């Protein structure tokens, strides 16, 4: 029984599965997009995402860990170089799996797996320079914000006074109309 076993064995022994996933990961790192079966693509995503997370921290220790999984110097250079640069600010979800349909020979469901930031068609923010998130923290920003509020405060106060006067006049007219109707 396989109760609670969440590992997709892909019909292979552990060593064969490790070799398969390493080879698929190397191909994906090299080509940025590959086509395979849906089950292998989903297993590859689980295998590769932690490696890409490790690649965001470019230290000798992390390089050795990733190399122990991939056993390919060129793939390690690629994942720590251009791939890590593009996905450096992303908190996760580095690859996407897109279903393609069924294979003609055996009817297996196929899928394309690719790095998210390397496809300009599916990435609406491709080519745009990402600006830093604007926050309300920081002493220089606070000082500038206070000056702006002081300049804008009289205008807001004048408008608020006008609105209050207008609402008071309308309330007085409403009470006069109600008194006339009752009499």
């Amino acid at each position: 029984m396989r109760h609670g076993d969440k590992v997709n064995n892909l019909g292979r022994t552990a060593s064969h599965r490790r070799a398969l996933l390493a080879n698929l990961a190397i191909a994906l790192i090299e080509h940025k997009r590959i086509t395979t079966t849906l089950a292998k693509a989903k297993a590859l995503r689980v295998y590769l995402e932690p490696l890409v997370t490790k690649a965001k921290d470019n230290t000798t220790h992390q390089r050795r860990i990733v190399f122990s999984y991939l056993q390919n110097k060129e793939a390690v250079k690629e994942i720590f170089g251009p791939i890590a640069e593009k996905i450096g600010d992303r908190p996760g979800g580095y690859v996407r799996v897109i279903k393609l349909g069924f294979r003609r020979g055996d009817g297996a469901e196929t899928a394309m797996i690719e790095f998210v930031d390397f496809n300009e068609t599916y990435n609406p923010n491709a080519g745009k320079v990402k600006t830093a998130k604007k926050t309300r923290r920081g002493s220089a920003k606070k000082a500038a914000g206070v000056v702006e509020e002081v300049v804008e405060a009289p205008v807001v106060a004048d408008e608020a006074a006008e609105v209050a006067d207008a609402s008071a006049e309308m309330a007085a007219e409403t009470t006069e109309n109600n008194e006339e109707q009752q009499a």
Side-chain angles (χ1 to χ4, degrees):
M1 287 185 275
R2 52 157 302 279
H3 296 301
D5 183 15
K6 293 190 172 38
V7 176
N8 188 352
N9 293 321
L10 301 173
R12 289 163 170 81
T13 61
S15 59
H16 189 184
R17 189 169 51 253
R18 255 193 308 274
L20 169 79
L21 291 173
N23 287 330
L24 284 172
I26 291 167
L28 181 62
I29 290 167
E30 182 181 341
H31 299 291
K32 311 299 186 268
R33 175 186 305 162
I34 58 172
T35 303
T36 183
T37 63
L38 182 63
K40 288 178 189 174
K42 287 180 176 181
L44 178 60
R45 178 175 53 193
V46 173
Y47 182 83
L48 188 63
E49 297 237 351
L51 298 182
V52 178
T53 302
K54 287 174 178 48
K56 288 164 68 171
D57 182 25
N58 191 0
T59 61
T60 304
H61 181 62
Q62 297 297 357
R63 281 182 174 266
R64 287 177 177 169
I65 289 173
V66 172
F67 182 77
S68 72
Y69 281 87
L70 298 178
Q71 296 293 316
N72 187 312
K73 288 181 183 180
E74 296 304 317
V76 171
K77 282 182 196 172
E78 185 75 16
I79 198 170
F80 277 88
I83 294 174
E85 287 173 11
K86 277 211 173 185
I87 54 92
D89 56 342
R90 182 177 287 275
Y94 310 114
V95 295
R96 80 165 54 95
V97 177
I98 301 169
K99 293 181 182 179
L100 296 178
F102 297 94
R103 197 159 52 196
R104 194 159 177 204
D106 60 355
E109 194 169 4
T110 58
M112 177 177 64
I113 183 167
E114 65 182 1
F115 282 105
V116 172
D117 292 329
F118 284 88
N119 187 347
E120 283 75 28
T121 305
Y122 282 101
N123 190 1
N125 298 327
K128 296 180 183 175
V129 177
K130 186 171 182 180
T131 59
K133 182 180 175 185
K134 294 180 181 177
T135 61
R136 297 187 60 154
R137 297 182 181 181
S139 59
K141 292 178 183 175
K142 283 183 184 176
V146 171
V147 171
E148 290 175 9
E149 290 175 10
V150 171
V151 171
E152 294 177 7
V155 175
V156 173
D158 292 340
E159 291 175 3
E162 291 174 9
V163 171
D165 291 340
S167 62
E169 290 175 12
M170 291 180 70
E173 290 176 9
T174 307
T175 54
E176 289 176 10
N177 290 339
N178 288 341
E179 290 174 1
E180 288 176 7
Q181 290 176 355
Q182 289 176 356

